Amino acid sequence: MENRYCVIMGGGIGSRFWPFSRNNRPKQFLDFFGIGRSLLQMSYDRFIKIIPKDHIFIVTNEIYVDLVKEQLPDIAEENILLEPTRRNTAPCIAWASYHIQALNPNANIVVAPSDHLILKEDEFAQCVNRGLDFVSKYPALLTLGIKPNRPETGYGYIQIGEDAEDNIKTVKTFTEKPNLEFAKMFVESGEFFWNSGIFIWNVQTIIKAFQRFLPDISNRFEENIKVFNTPEEKHFIDENFAACPSISIDFGIMEKASNVFVLCAEFGWSDLGSWSALYDHSPKNKDENVTQNCKALLYNTTGSVIAVKGEKLVVVEGLHDYIIAEADNVLLICPKSEEQKIKQFVTDAKMAYDDSFI
């Protein structure tokens, strides 16, 4: 256990969940299911069962430090790594890796987003334990692949190769968000798994990968290697983090490296990236409608999700497969089939009315 570490990435905005997810309180800090725990808290609860508490790190934007402390009071302040600006997942993971290397050069690390839904937590824990054992023995970059149950176009796919160990395969290819025709082919072939965005590796393995594939990031950190886990570390990050290229770990390393493996799994996973994903994982009434912690009267309405904060009554007539979401000063009414436009709505709102609605 002394070599096991966890990095939870919690700095995103979650604009596809607008207007609930806002700049000042993005989706990882929200309690979507009315259970009294946010997605971030659920992620922490998941890992505290298998990783020592003082080995769990939260990487987030510095504007969310108070939210993290409020929601995770057990986390020590030195275990919250505060990014001065957003630079995608590769710089985030690089910083966490160099920080953990300074604490323990033998560390085996699981890296996970803070906003995913996992229904089968025991199976998930077994997969993480298996993965940590695997990377402690081999210089592997391991990702968790989810067996697909539908031709989903919103996820990335991993094509599996040869067996390495039971349920652990080599990776042939990564494919980002295919169209429906390709997604159907992928599912039917049985060779493709969803890319969960959850990674496991030894700290030396991932740092060597940064040195080879993203030297623009690693060189900056290597030149200042002595600042990590010292009082000078935050000043160095504040001065240098913005200079790192904004690039994902998938595109920057995983799609290029040859030592990439996938642990094929089923543990009730969703990236909970959209209103439709929330709809899919929420209880429904006889008309297949979902109401999220609000009072509603629905007439001739089916397949819709209604999420309205506050005490007002929502009355809907004649809508089918719609999103109706209100939070603070924004009301969104949008067909579920058009929800990919929500990011554009956010951009348009910012341009038309500044930041007051985002």
Side-chain angles (χ1 to χ4, degrees):
M1 293 292 284
E2 70 273 10
N3 290 336
R4 292 186 168 195
Y5 288 77
C6 173
V7 175
I8 300 175
M9 300 180 291
I13 299 174
S15 58
R16 287 183 293 173
F17 264 116
W18 185 75
F20 265 40
S21 184
R22 309 289 277 267
N23 276 347
N24 63 346
R25 200 176 185 90
K27 70 170 182 172
Q28 60 268 29
F29 299 105
L30 302 180
D31 174 13
F32 275 105
F33 297 99
I35 60 173
R37 300 294 279 175
S38 70
L39 297 177
L40 172 64
Q41 290 170 315
M42 292 168 68
S43 295
Y44 178 77
D45 295 345
R46 203 173 293 136
F47 284 110
I48 198 67
K49 300 172 184 175
I50 49 178
I51 305 290
K53 180 177 71 173
D54 58 344
H55 288 189
I56 298 176
F57 291 84
I58 312 296
V59 187
T60 190
N61 191 280
E62 59 188 17
I63 66 175
Y64 303 135
V65 60
D66 290 338
L67 282 171
V68 173
K69 289 180 178 179
E70 171 194 328
Q71 295 199 354
L72 300 178
D74 288 347
I75 284 278
E77 191 163 351
E78 58 267 26
N79 285 43
I80 306 173
L81 305 183
L82 298 175
E83 299 172 326
T85 187
R86 292 185 175 90
R87 278 295 177 269
N88 215 316
T89 54
C92 160
I93 290 170
W95 177 20
S97 300
Y98 278 92
H99 181 85
I100 291 172
Q101 179 188 231
L103 295 168
N104 183 348
N106 299 313
N108 300 305
I109 307 170
V110 53
V111 179
S114 60
D115 53 4
H116 287 186
L117 176 67
I118 291 172
L119 299 176
K120 302 176 183 178
E121 300 214 344
D122 289 343
E123 287 89 335
F124 174 74
Q126 291 172 13
C127 287
V128 172
N129 285 326
R130 174 85 191 286
L132 288 166
D133 287 341
F134 183 76
V135 302
S136 71
K137 296 183 292 186
Y138 306 106
L141 302 172
L142 182 67
T143 184
L144 302 188
I146 311 301
K147 185 176 181 179
N149 55 22
R150 63 184 186 277
E152 173 63 56
T153 60
Y155 294 160
Y157 285 73
I158 302 167
Q159 185 181 20
I160 61 174
E162 299 175 354
D163 288 343
E165 286 187 2
D166 185 35
N167 286 335
I168 296 179
K169 317 280 187 181
T170 59
V171 172
K172 283 186 179 179
T173 61
F174 287 88
T175 302
E176 278 299 312
K177 297 180 180 179
N179 61 32
L180 183 59
E181 181 180 354
F182 275 104
K184 288 179 178 177
M185 290 171 53
F186 289 170
V187 174
E188 290 169 1
S189 74
E191 293 184 11
F192 289 81
F193 285 68
W194 288 334
N195 184 357
S196 71
I198 301 169
F199 307 102
I200 305 175
W201 40 53
N202 181 270
V203 69
Q204 300 303 327
T205 306
I206 189 60
I207 285 178
K208 286 177 183 176
F210 273 104
Q211 291 167 346
R212 179 173 181 185
F213 299 108
L214 290 174
D216 287 353
I217 296 175
S218 66
N219 287 346
R220 189 172 296 273
F221 288 175
E222 292 287 342
E223 290 168 4
N224 297 272
I225 194 79
K226 292 183 180 180
V227 306
F228 292 99
N229 196 34
T230 75
E232 289 76 45
E233 180 176 350
K234 185 60 169 72
H235 176 73
F236 164 75
I237 291 297
D238 288 344
E239 292 290 314
N240 289 271
F241 197 76
C244 293
S246 181
I247 188 170
S248 72
I249 196 72
D250 298 88
F251 184 72
I253 290 180
M254 301 300 284
E255 295 179 14
K256 298 174 181 177
S258 59
N259 58 331
V260 180
F261 295 80
V262 57
L263 195 167
C264 303
E266 292 183 80
F267 43 73
W269 170 88
S270 170
D271 78 344
L272 212 65
S274 65
W275 285 107
S276 286
L278 180 67
Y279 173 87
D280 290 342
H281 291 282
S282 298
K284 302 166 184 65
N285 68 10
K286 60 182 177 61
D287 295 315
E288 295 296 300
N289 294 311
V290 169
T291 54
Q292 279 289 320
N293 305 316
C294 62
K295 299 179 178 68
L297 293 174
L298 308 178
Y299 305 93
N300 190 31
T301 293
T302 60
S304 297
V305 55
I306 295 90
V308 175
K309 290 186 176 180
E311 294 301 314
K312 66 186 64 175
L313 173 67
V314 183
V315 182
V316 181
E317 163 69 38
L319 289 184
H320 306 284
D321 297 324
Y322 261 73
I323 301 161
I324 301 170
E326 183 188 54
D328 301 323
N329 53 1
V330 176
L331 169 65
L332 171 73
I333 303 172
C334 174
K336 284 195 299 187
S337 60
E338 299 296 327
E339 71 173 342
Q340 73 276 6
K341 294 180 180 177
I342 291 179
K343 279 193 171 184
Q344 186 61 48
F345 299 159
V346 174
T347 300
D348 292 346
K350 180 180 175 67
M351 292 189 65
Y353 301 108
D354 64 50
D355 290 345
S356 57
F357 295 103
I358 63 169

